[in-house]
Coordinates of all heavy atoms in Angstrom, one line a residue:
M1 N -5.4 10.0 -4.8 CA -6.9 10.3 -4.6 C -7.2 9.7 -3.4 O -7.1 8.5 -3.1 CB -7.7 9.8 -5.9 CG -9.1 10.2 -5.5 SD -10.3 9.6 -6.8 CE -9.9 10.7 -8.1
D2 N -7.8 10.6 -2.6 CA -8.4 10.1 -1.2 C -9.5 9.0 -1.3 O -10.4 9.3 -2.3 CB -8.7 11.3 -0.3 CG -7.6 12.2 0.0 OD1 -6.4 11.7 0.0 OD2 -7.8 13.3 0.5
E3 N -9.5 8.1 -0.6 CA -10.7 7.0 -0.6 C -10.9 6.5 -1.9 O -12.0 6.0 -2.2 CB -11.9 7.7 0.0 CG -11.6 8.2 1.5 CD -13.0 8.8 2.0 OE1 -14.1 8.1 1.9 OE2 -12.9 9.8 2.6
A4 N -10.0 6.4 -2.8 CA -10.1 6.0 -4.2 C -10.7 4.5 -4.2 O -11.7 4.2 -5.1 CB -8.8 6.1 -5.0
F5 N -10.2 3.7 -3.5 CA -10.7 2.2 -3.5 C -11.3 1.7 -2.2 O -11.5 0.5 -2.0 CB -9.7 1.3 -3.9 CG -9.0 1.6 -5.3 CD1 -7.9 2.4 -5.4 CD2 -9.8 1.1 -6.5 CE1 -7.4 2.7 -6.8 CE2 -9.1 1.4 -7.7 CZ -8.0 2.2 -7.9
A6 N -11.6 2.6 -1.3 CA -12.1 2.2 0.1 C -13.2 1.4 0.0 O -14.3 1.6 -0.7 CB -12.4 3.6 0.9
G7 N -13.2 0.3 0.9 CA -14.4 -0.5 0.9 C -14.7 -1.4 -0.2 O -15.7 -2.2 -0.2
T8 N -13.8 -1.5 -1.2 CA -14.0 -2.3 -2.4 C -13.5 -3.8 -2.1 O -12.8 -4.0 -1.2 CB -13.4 -1.7 -3.7 OG1 -11.9 -1.8 -3.6 CG2 -13.9 -0.4 -4.0
A9 N -13.8 -4.7 -3.0 CA -13.5 -6.1 -2.9 C -12.2 -6.4 -3.7 O -12.0 -7.6 -4.0 CB -14.6 -7.0 -3.4
V10 N -11.4 -5.4 -4.0 CA -10.1 -5.5 -4.7 C -9.3 -6.7 -3.9 O -9.2 -6.6 -2.6 CB -9.4 -4.2 -4.8 CG1 -9.0 -3.6 -3.5 CG2 -8.2 -4.3 -5.8
E11 N -8.6 -7.5 -4.7 CA -7.7 -8.5 -3.9 C -6.2 -8.3 -4.2 O -5.3 -8.7 -3.4 CB -8.1 -9.8 -4.6 CG -9.5 -10.3 -4.1 CD -10.0 -11.6 -4.8 OE1 -9.1 -12.3 -5.3 OE2 -11.2 -12.0 -4.7
S12 N -5.9 -7.7 -5.2 CA -4.6 -7.4 -5.6 C -4.3 -6.0 -6.2 O -5.1 -5.6 -7.0 CB -4.0 -8.4 -6.6 OG -2.7 -8.3 -6.9
V13 N -3.2 -5.3 -5.8 CA -3.0 -4.0 -6.3 C -1.4 -3.9 -6.7 O -0.6 -4.3 -6.0 CB -3.3 -3.0 -5.3 CG1 -2.8 -1.5 -5.6 CG2 -4.7 -2.9 -4.7
V14 N -1.3 -3.4 -7.9 CA 0.0 -2.9 -8.4 C 0.0 -1.4 -8.6 O -0.5 -1.0 -9.5 CB 0.4 -3.8 -9.7 CG1 1.8 -3.3 -10.2 CG2 0.4 -5.3 -9.5
I15 N 0.6 -0.7 -7.7 CA 0.8 0.8 -8.0 C 2.0 0.9 -8.9 O 3.0 0.5 -8.8 CB 1.2 1.5 -6.6 CG1 0.3 1.0 -5.5 CG2 1.3 2.9 -6.9 CD1 -1.2 1.5 -5.7
P16 N 1.6 1.6 -10.0 CA 2.6 1.7 -11.1 C 3.8 2.6 -10.8 O 3.6 3.5 -10.0 CB 1.8 2.3 -12.3 CG 0.7 2.9 -11.8 CD 0.3 2.2 -10.4
Y17 N 4.9 2.3 -11.4 CA 6.1 3.2 -11.4 C 5.7 4.6 -11.7 O 5.1 4.8 -12.6 CB 7.3 2.6 -12.2 CG 8.5 3.5 -11.9 CD1 9.3 3.2 -10.8 CD2 8.9 4.6 -12.8 CE1 10.4 4.0 -10.5 CE2 10.0 5.3 -12.5 CZ 10.7 5.0 -11.4 OH 11.9 5.7 -11.1
G18 N 6.3 5.5 -10.8 CA 6.0 7.0 -11.1 C 5.0 7.5 -10.1 O 5.0 8.8 -9.9
V19 N 4.2 6.7 -9.5 CA 3.3 7.2 -8.5 C 4.1 7.5 -7.2 O 4.9 6.7 -6.8 CB 2.3 6.2 -8.2 CG1 1.4 6.6 -7.0 CG2 1.3 5.9 -9.4
Q20 N 3.9 8.7 -6.7 CA 4.6 9.3 -5.6 C 3.9 9.3 -4.4 O 4.4 9.3 -3.3 CB 5.2 10.6 -5.9 CG 6.2 10.6 -7.1 CD 6.6 11.9 -7.3 OE1 5.9 13.0 -7.3 NE2 7.9 12.1 -7.7
K21 N 2.5 9.3 -4.4 CA 1.6 9.4 -3.2 C 0.4 8.5 -3.3 O -0.2 8.3 -4.4 CB 1.3 10.8 -3.1 CG 0.3 11.1 -1.8 CD -0.1 12.5 -1.8 CE -1.1 12.7 -0.5 NZ -1.6 14.0 -0.5
I22 N 0.1 7.9 -2.2 CA -1.2 7.2 -2.0 C -2.1 8.0 -1.0 O -1.5 8.4 0.1 CB -0.9 5.7 -1.5 CG1 -0.1 4.9 -2.6 CG2 -2.4 5.1 -1.2 CD1 0.3 3.5 -2.1
G23 N -3.3 8.3 -1.5 CA -4.1 9.4 -0.7 C -4.6 8.7 0.5 O -4.6 7.5 0.9
W24 N -5.2 9.6 1.3 CA -5.8 9.2 2.7 C -7.0 8.2 2.4 O -7.7 8.3 1.5 CB -6.4 10.4 3.2 CG -5.5 11.4 3.9 CD1 -4.2 11.6 3.6 CD2 -5.7 12.2 5.1 NE1 -3.7 12.6 4.3 CE2 -4.5 13.0 5.3 CE3 -6.8 12.3 6.0 CZ2 -4.5 13.8 6.5 CZ3 -6.7 13.2 7.0 CH2 -5.6 13.9 7.3
F25 N -6.8 7.1 3.3 CA -7.9 6.2 3.3 C -8.2 5.5 1.9 O -9.1 4.8 1.7 CB -9.2 6.6 3.8 CG -9.1 7.2 5.2 CD1 -9.2 8.5 5.4 CD2 -9.0 6.4 6.3 CE1 -9.1 9.2 6.6 CE2 -8.9 6.9 7.6 CZ -8.9 8.3 7.8
A26 N -7.1 5.4 1.0 CA -7.2 4.9 -0.3 C -7.7 3.6 -0.5 O -8.5 3.3 -1.3 CB -5.9 5.2 -1.1
F27 N -7.3 2.7 0.5 CA -7.7 1.3 0.4 C -8.2 0.9 1.7 O -8.2 -0.4 1.9 CB -6.5 0.4 0.1 CG -5.8 0.7 -1.4 CD1 -4.9 1.5 -1.4 CD2 -6.5 0.0 -2.4 CE1 -4.3 1.8 -2.7 CE2 -5.9 0.3 -3.7 CZ -4.8 1.2 -3.8
S28 N -8.7 1.7 2.6 CA -9.2 1.3 3.8 C -10.5 0.5 3.8 O -11.3 0.7 2.8 CB -9.5 2.7 4.7 OG -10.7 3.3 4.2
G29 N -10.6 -0.5 4.5 CA -11.8 -1.4 4.5 C -11.7 -2.4 3.5 O -12.6 -3.1 3.2
C30 N -10.6 -2.5 2.6 CA -10.5 -3.6 1.6 C -9.9 -4.8 2.2 O -8.8 -5.3 2.1 CB -9.4 -3.1 0.5 SG -10.0 -1.7 -0.5
T31 N -10.8 -5.5 2.9 CA -10.5 -6.7 3.7 C -10.1 -7.9 2.9 O -9.5 -8.9 3.4 CB -11.7 -7.1 4.7 OG1 -12.8 -7.4 3.8 CG2 -12.0 -6.0 5.7
K32 N -10.5 -8.0 1.6 CA -10.0 -8.9 0.7 C -8.6 -8.7 0.1 O -8.1 -9.7 -0.6 CB -11.2 -9.2 -0.3 CG -12.5 -9.6 0.2 CD -13.4 -10.0 -0.8 CE -14.5 -10.4 -0.2 NZ -15.5 -11.2 -1.0
L33 N -8.0 -7.6 0.3 CA -6.7 -7.2 -0.3 C -5.6 -8.2 0.2 O -5.4 -8.3 1.5 CB -6.3 -5.8 0.0 CG -5.3 -5.2 -0.7 CD1 -5.4 -5.4 -2.3 CD2 -5.3 -3.6 -0.5
R34 N -4.9 -8.9 -0.6 CA -3.9 -9.9 -0.2 C -2.6 -9.6 -0.6 O -1.5 -10.1 -0.3 CB -4.4 -11.3 -0.8 CG -5.6 -11.8 0.0 CD -5.5 -12.0 1.4 NE -6.6 -12.6 1.9 CZ -7.6 -11.7 2.6 NH1 -7.3 -10.5 2.8 NH2 -8.6 -12.2 3.2
S35 N -2.4 -8.7 -1.8 CA -1.2 -8.4 -2.4 C -1.2 -7.0 -2.9 O -2.0 -6.6 -3.6 CB -0.9 -9.4 -3.7 OG 0.3 -9.0 -4.3
I36 N -0.1 -6.2 -2.4 CA 0.2 -4.9 -2.7 C 1.6 -4.5 -3.2 O 2.5 -4.7 -2.4 CB -0.2 -4.0 -1.6 CG1 -1.6 -4.3 -1.1 CG2 0.0 -2.5 -2.0 CD1 -1.8 -3.8 0.4
R37 N 1.8 -4.4 -4.5 CA 3.1 -4.0 -4.9 C 3.3 -2.4 -4.9 O 2.5 -1.8 -5.5 CB 3.3 -4.5 -6.3 CG 4.7 -4.3 -6.9 CD 4.8 -4.9 -8.2 NE 4.8 -6.4 -8.2 CZ 5.8 -7.2 -7.9 NH1 7.0 -6.6 -7.7 NH2 5.6 -8.5 -7.9
L38 N 4.3 -2.1 -4.2 CA 4.6 -0.6 -4.1 C 5.8 -0.2 -5.0 O 6.8 -0.9 -4.9 CB 4.8 -0.1 -2.7 CG 3.5 -0.3 -1.7 CD1 4.0 0.1 -0.3 CD2 2.3 0.4 -2.1
P39 N 5.8 0.8 -5.8 CA 6.9 1.2 -6.6 C 8.1 1.9 -5.8 O 7.7 2.6 -4.8 CB 6.4 2.1 -7.7 CG 5.1 2.7 -6.9 CD 4.6 1.8 -6.1
P40 N 9.2 1.9 -6.3 CA 10.4 2.6 -5.7 C 10.2 4.1 -5.8 O 10.8 4.8 -5.0 CB 11.6 2.1 -6.4 CG 11.1 1.6 -7.7 CD 9.7 1.1 -7.4
S41 N 9.3 4.6 -6.6 CA 9.1 6.1 -6.8 C 8.2 6.6 -5.6 O 8.0 7.9 -5.5 CB 8.3 6.3 -8.1 OG 7.1 5.6 -8.2
L42 N 7.5 5.7 -4.9 CA 6.6 6.0 -3.8 C 7.3 7.0 -2.7 O 8.4 6.6 -2.2 CB 6.0 4.9 -3.1 CG 4.8 5.2 -2.2 CD1 3.6 5.8 -2.9 CD2 4.4 3.9 -1.5
E43 N 6.7 8.2 -2.3 CA 7.3 9.0 -1.4 C 6.4 9.2 -0.2 O 6.9 9.7 0.9 CB 7.7 10.3 -2.0 CG 8.7 10.3 -3.2 CD 9.0 11.6 -3.8 OE1 8.2 12.5 -3.5 OE2 9.8 11.6 -4.8
S44 N 5.1 8.9 -0.2 CA 4.3 9.1 0.9 C 3.1 8.4 0.8 O 2.6 8.0 -0.3 CB 3.9 10.6 1.1 OG 3.1 11.0 0.1
V45 N 2.5 7.9 2.0 CA 1.2 7.2 2.0 C 0.4 8.0 3.0 O 0.8 8.2 4.1 CB 1.5 5.8 2.5 CG1 0.1 5.0 2.8 CG2 2.4 5.0 1.6
G46 N -0.8 8.3 2.5 CA -1.7 9.0 3.4 C -2.3 8.5 4.6 O -2.4 7.1 4.6
Y47 N -2.8 9.2 5.5 CA -3.3 8.6 6.7 C -4.4 7.6 6.5 O -5.3 7.9 5.6 CB -3.8 9.9 7.5 CG -4.5 9.3 8.9 CD1 -3.8 9.1 9.9 CD2 -6.0 9.3 9.0 CE1 -4.3 8.8 11.1 CE2 -6.3 8.7 10.2 CZ -5.7 8.6 11.2 OH -6.3 8.3 12.5
G48 N -4.3 6.4 7.2 CA -5.2 5.5 7.1 C -5.4 4.6 5.7 O -6.4 4.0 5.4
A49 N -4.4 4.9 4.9 CA -4.5 4.3 3.6 C -4.8 2.8 3.5 O -5.5 2.3 2.7 CB -3.3 4.6 2.7
F50 N -4.3 2.1 4.5 CA -4.6 0.6 4.5 C -5.3 0.2 5.8 O -5.1 -1.0 6.2 CB -3.3 -0.2 4.3 CG -2.6 0.2 2.9 CD1 -1.7 1.2 2.9 CD2 -3.1 -0.4 1.8 CE1 -1.1 1.4 1.6 CE2 -2.5 -0.2 0.5 CZ -1.4 0.8 0.5
D51 N -6.1 1.1 6.4 CA -6.8 0.6 7.6 C -7.7 -0.5 7.2 O -8.4 -0.6 6.3 CB -7.7 1.8 8.1 CG -6.8 2.8 8.9 OD1 -5.7 2.5 9.1 OD2 -7.5 3.7 9.4
G52 N -7.7 -1.5 8.1 CA -8.6 -2.7 7.9 C -7.9 -3.7 7.0 O -8.6 -4.8 6.9
V53 N -6.8 -3.4 6.4 CA -6.2 -4.3 5.6 C -5.2 -5.2 6.4 O -4.2 -4.6 7.1 CB -5.3 -3.7 4.4 CG1 -4.5 -4.7 3.7 CG2 -6.3 -2.9 3.6
S54 N -5.4 -6.4 6.7 CA -4.6 -7.2 7.7 C -3.9 -8.4 7.2 O -2.8 -9.0 7.7 CB -5.4 -7.6 8.9 OG -6.4 -8.4 8.5
E55 N -4.4 -9.0 6.0 CA -3.8 -10.2 5.5 C -3.0 -10.0 4.3 O -2.4 -10.9 3.7 CB -5.0 -11.1 5.0 CG -6.0 -11.4 6.2 CD -5.5 -12.3 7.2 OE1 -4.7 -13.2 7.0 OE2 -5.7 -12.1 8.4
A56 N -2.7 -8.7 3.9 CA -2.0 -8.5 2.7 C -0.5 -8.5 2.9 O 0.1 -8.4 3.9 CB -2.2 -7.1 2.1
V57 N 0.3 -9.0 1.8 CA 1.7 -8.9 1.6 C 2.0 -7.7 0.8 O 1.5 -7.5 -0.2 CB 2.3 -10.2 1.0 CG1 3.7 -10.1 0.8 CG2 1.9 -11.4 1.9
F58 N 2.9 -6.8 1.3 CA 3.4 -5.8 0.6 C 4.7 -6.1 -0.1 O 5.7 -6.6 0.5 CB 3.7 -4.5 1.6 CG 2.4 -3.7 1.9 CD1 1.7 -4.3 2.9 CD2 2.3 -2.5 1.6 CE1 0.5 -3.8 3.3 CE2 1.1 -1.8 2.0 CZ 0.2 -2.5 2.9
I59 N 4.7 -6.0 -1.4 CA 5.9 -6.3 -2.2 C 6.6 -5.0 -2.6 O 6.1 -4.1 -3.2 CB 5.5 -7.0 -3.5 CG1 4.7 -8.3 -3.1 CG2 6.7 -7.4 -4.3 CD1 3.9 -8.9 -4.3
V60 N 7.9 -4.9 -2.0 CA 8.5 -3.6 -2.1 C 10.0 -3.8 -2.5 O 10.6 -5.0 -2.6 CB 8.5 -3.0 -0.7 CG1 7.2 -2.6 -0.3 CG2 9.2 -3.8 0.3
Q61 N 10.6 -2.7 -3.0 CA 12.1 -2.7 -3.4 C 12.9 -2.5 -2.1 O 12.6 -1.6 -1.3 CB 12.4 -1.8 -4.4 CG 13.7 -1.8 -5.1 CD 13.8 -1.1 -6.2 OE1 13.4 0.0 -6.4 NE2 14.6 -1.5 -7.1
A62 N 14.0 -3.2 -1.9 CA 14.8 -3.0 -0.8 C 15.3 -1.6 -0.6 O 15.7 -0.9 -1.6 CB 16.1 -3.9 -0.8
G63 N 15.3 -1.0 0.5 CA 15.7 0.3 0.9 C 14.7 1.4 0.4 O 15.1 2.7 0.6
S64 N 13.5 1.0 -0.1 CA 12.6 2.1 -0.6 C 11.7 2.7 0.6 O 11.6 2.0 1.7 CB 11.6 1.4 -1.7 OG 10.9 0.4 -1.1
Y65 N 11.1 3.7 0.3 CA 10.0 4.3 1.3 C 9.0 3.2 1.5 O 8.6 3.0 2.7 CB 9.5 5.6 0.6 CG 8.3 6.0 1.5 CD1 8.6 6.8 2.6 CD2 7.0 5.7 1.2 CE1 7.4 7.4 3.5 CE2 6.0 6.2 2.0 CZ 6.3 6.9 3.2 OH 5.2 7.4 4.0
G66 N 8.4 2.5 0.5 CA 7.5 1.5 0.5 C 7.9 0.3 1.6 O 7.1 -0.1 2.4
E67 N 9.1 0.1 1.6 CA 9.7 -0.9 2.5 C 9.5 -0.5 4.0 O 9.0 -1.1 4.9 CB 11.1 -1.4 2.2 CG 11.6 -2.4 3.2 CD 13.0 -2.8 3.1 OE1 13.8 -2.1 2.3 OE2 13.5 -3.8 3.8
A68 N 10.1 0.9 4.1 CA 10.0 1.4 5.4 C 8.6 1.7 6.0 O 8.3 1.4 7.2 CB 10.7 2.9 5.5
F69 N 7.7 2.0 5.1 CA 6.3 2.2 5.5 C 5.7 0.9 5.9 O 5.1 0.9 7.0 CB 5.6 2.8 4.3 CG 4.0 2.6 4.5 CD1 3.3 3.6 5.3 CD2 3.3 1.6 3.9 CE1 2.0 3.5 5.6 CE2 1.9 1.5 4.1 CZ 1.3 2.4 4.9
A70 N 5.8 -0.1 5.0 CA 5.2 -1.5 5.3 C 5.8 -2.0 6.7 O 4.9 -2.6 7.5 CB 5.4 -2.5 4.2
R71 N 7.0 -1.9 6.8 CA 7.7 -2.5 8.1 C 7.2 -1.8 9.4 O 7.1 -2.3 10.4 CB 9.2 -2.6 8.0 CG 9.7 -3.7 7.0 CD 11.1 -3.8 7.1 NE 11.7 -4.7 5.9 CZ 11.6 -5.9 6.0 NH1 11.1 -6.6 7.0 NH2 12.1 -6.7 5.0
S72 N 7.2 -0.4 9.1 CA 6.8 0.6 10.4 C 5.5 0.3 10.9 O 5.1 0.4 12.0 CB 6.9 1.9 9.9 OG 6.0 2.4 9.1
F73 N 4.5 -0.3 10.0 CA 3.1 -0.6 10.4 C 2.9 -2.0 10.6 O 1.9 -2.4 10.8 CB 2.2 0.0 9.3 CG 1.9 1.4 9.5 CD1 2.8 2.4 8.8 CD2 1.1 1.9 10.4 CE1 2.5 3.7 8.9 CE2 0.9 3.4 10.5 CZ 1.6 4.2 9.7
G74 N 4.1 -2.9 10.5 CA 3.9 -4.3 10.9 C 3.3 -5.1 9.9 O 2.9 -6.3 10.0
F75 N 3.2 -4.6 8.6 CA 2.7 -5.4 7.5 C 3.7 -6.5 7.1 O 5.0 -6.3 7.1 CB 2.4 -4.5 6.4 CG 1.2 -3.6 6.5 CD1 1.4 -2.2 6.5 CD2 -0.1 -4.1 6.7 CE1 0.4 -1.4 6.6 CE2 -1.2 -3.3 6.9 CZ -0.9 -1.9 6.9
C76 N 3.1 -7.6 6.6 CA 4.0 -8.7 6.0 C 4.6 -8.1 4.8 O 4.0 -7.4 3.9 CB 3.2 -9.8 5.7 SG 4.1 -11.3 5.1
T77 N 6.0 -8.2 4.7 CA 6.8 -7.6 3.6 C 7.5 -8.7 2.8 O 8.2 -9.4 3.4 CB 7.6 -6.4 4.3 OG1 6.9 -5.6 5.0 CG2 8.3 -5.7 3.1
E78 N 7.5 -8.4 1.5 CA 8.4 -9.3 0.7 C 9.3 -8.3 -0.1 O 8.8 -7.4 -0.8 CB 7.5 -10.0 -0.4 CG 8.3 -10.9 -1.2 CD 7.4 -11.7 -2.3 OE1 6.5 -12.2 -1.9 OE2 7.7 -11.6 -3.5
V79 N 10.5 -8.3 0.0 CA 11.5 -7.5 -0.4 C 12.1 -8.1 -1.7 O 12.6 -9.2 -1.7 CB 12.6 -7.1 0.6 CG1 13.5 -6.2 0.0 CG2 11.9 -6.5 1.8
E80 N 12.1 -7.2 -2.8 CA 12.8 -7.7 -4.1 C 14.1 -7.0 -4.2 O 14.4 -5.9 -3.7 CB 11.8 -7.3 -5.2 CG 10.6 -8.0 -5.1 CD 9.8 -7.8 -6.3 OE1 9.7 -6.6 -6.8 OE2 9.0 -8.7 -6.7

């Protein structure tokens, strides 16, 4: 869903297994977000989904789309 949590004070997010897409601007402006766990089922992340998120660590599975996404945007990444 686009802009699902945009601008909220969420601090930690666990995207459940089975989710394949994160919508446009889903977490944009979530400046308190510090931990984001992405499932290996993830296949796409919408434009601007994490705009304004700069302090978060993305927890991802090795070789997953989530790992490639996080690294390509220079996010701090923890690989499991």
Side-chain angles (χ1 to χ4, degrees):
M1 178 184 283
D2 296 338
E3 299 182 45
F5 299 94
T8 64
V10 64
E11 295 178 10
S12 178
V13 172
V14 176
I15 307 295
Y17 183 81
V19 170
Q20 296 178 323
K21 178 182 179 184
I22 296 174
W24 284 33
F25 302 104
F27 296 95
S28 68
C30 293
T31 58
K32 295 185 181 201
L33 191 52
R34 298 293 180 260
S35 172
I36 304 160
R37 183 177 295 272
L38 300 178
S41 59
L42 190 66
E43 297 176 355
S44 69
V45 176
Y47 180 80
F50 296 98
D51 279 359
V53 175
S54 60
E55 302 292 323
V57 173
F58 283 72
I59 303 163
V60 297
Q61 190 169 35
S64 67
Y65 173 85
E67 178 185 16
F69 166 79
R71 290 187 188 280
S72 72
F73 283 92
F75 289 115
C76 183
T77 307
E78 181 180 311
V79 179
E80 296 183 321

